[in-house]
Amino acid sequence: MDYSHMCPKYETAAELLGKKWSGLIIRVLLGGPKRFKEIKEQIPDMSDKMLTDRMKELEQSQILKRNVYPEMPVRIEYELTEKGLGLEPVIQSIQDWGEQWC
Amino acid sequence: MDYSHMCPKYETAAELLGKKWSGLIIRVLLGGPKRFKEIKEQIPDMSDKMLTDRMKELEQSQILKRNVYPEMPVRIEYELTEKGLGLEPVIQSIQDWGEQWC
């Protein structure tokens, strides 16, 4: 069997999850929509710039979406898409394995 | 809740799985112990150097072990450790998500 041809989708998914902080941001958002500041509070070791960069990547990958509420002052919340919500069992399985073996 | 402190084990595991080809090498070895040439045959798009480098990393992470059989000519096989075998459900969940969404 030639496994090379099975690779693109696995690799795309694994690479995304393997980026530092991405898994944590997704996990925080599994708890429901959050504002930037709320995410930051739950991951204080991450810099603002890093969080901004990762959020942009996750938005481009359609893992999360950005909701803008036209209030005064304007309110912006980040929420997982259906695609992002589908990562819950994946992140859990990585976490379980890490807890047991790393 | 501060998620920063949950990160090291998750990050270690996710980073390992996110490296190009690592998931495929592990998947091939889930089929049983293999010689270098046999792994190569199943992932022909990967260079010999890349396979050698990844195998060394996976050996250092104790995901796989190298068995040397003192025959003539000497036979070397690569086999997943218990830690490596534990990755089966993880890789499957990444693959399932990738198939559905990537």
Side-chain angles (χ1 to χ4, degrees), chain A residues 31-48:
Chain A
K34 299 269 182 302
R35 300 170 77 155
F36 188 92
K37 192 170 161 287
E38 295 171 311
I39 300 169
K40 182 81 182 98
E41 280 168 3
Q42 298 201 1
I43 319 179
D45 292 353
M46 180 175 41
S47 72
D48 279 14

Side-chain angles (χ1 to χ4, degrees), chain B residues 45-62:
Chain B
D45 291 354
M46 180 175 41
S47 72
D48 279 15
K49 178 175 179 343
M50 181 62 85
L51 179 53
T52 304
D53 289 353
R54 283 290 176 272
M55 299 289 275
K56 275 187 194 151
E57 286 169 14
L58 292 170
E59 196 180 347
Q60 275 164 6
S61 306
Q62 297 173 293

Side-chain angles (χ1 to χ4, degrees), chain A residues 82-99:
Chain A
E82 205 184 336
K83 180 178 176 180
L85 289 167
L87 283 169
E88 182 159 25
V90 182
I91 288 176
Q92 190 58 52
S93 74
I94 297 173
Q95 179 72 26
D96 290 347
W97 184 83
E99 293 286 347

Side-chain angles (χ1 to χ4, degrees), chain A residues 1-4 6-7 10-11 14 17-18 20-21 24 27-28 42-44 83 86-87 90 93 95 97, chain B residues 1-4 6-7 10-11 14 17-18 20-21 24 27-28 42-44 83 86-87 90 93 95 97:
Chain A
M1 181 159 185
D2 176 357
Y3 282 87
S4 302
M6 297 180 66
C7 98
Y10 174 87
E11 299 283 355
L17 292 165
K20 194 160 165 57
W21 303 114
L24 283 174
R27 181 177 296 161
V28 168
Q42 298 201 1
I43 319 179
K83 180 178 176 180
L87 283 169
V90 182
S93 74
Q95 179 72 26
W97 184 83
Chain B
M1 179 160 188
D2 177 358
Y3 282 86
S4 301
M6 297 179 65
C7 99
Y10 174 88
E11 298 284 354
L17 291 165
K20 195 161 165 57
W21 303 115
L24 283 174
R27 180 176 296 161
V28 168
Q42 297 200 0
I43 320 179
K83 180 178 178 180
L87 283 169
V90 182
S93 75
Q95 178 73 26
W97 183 83

Side-chain angles (χ1 to χ4, degrees), chain B residues 19-35:
Chain B
K19 284 201 172 178
K20 195 161 165 57
W21 303 115
S22 292
L24 283 174
I25 295 168
I26 295 164
R27 180 176 296 161
V28 168
L29 289 175
L30 283 167
K34 300 269 182 301
R35 302 170 77 155

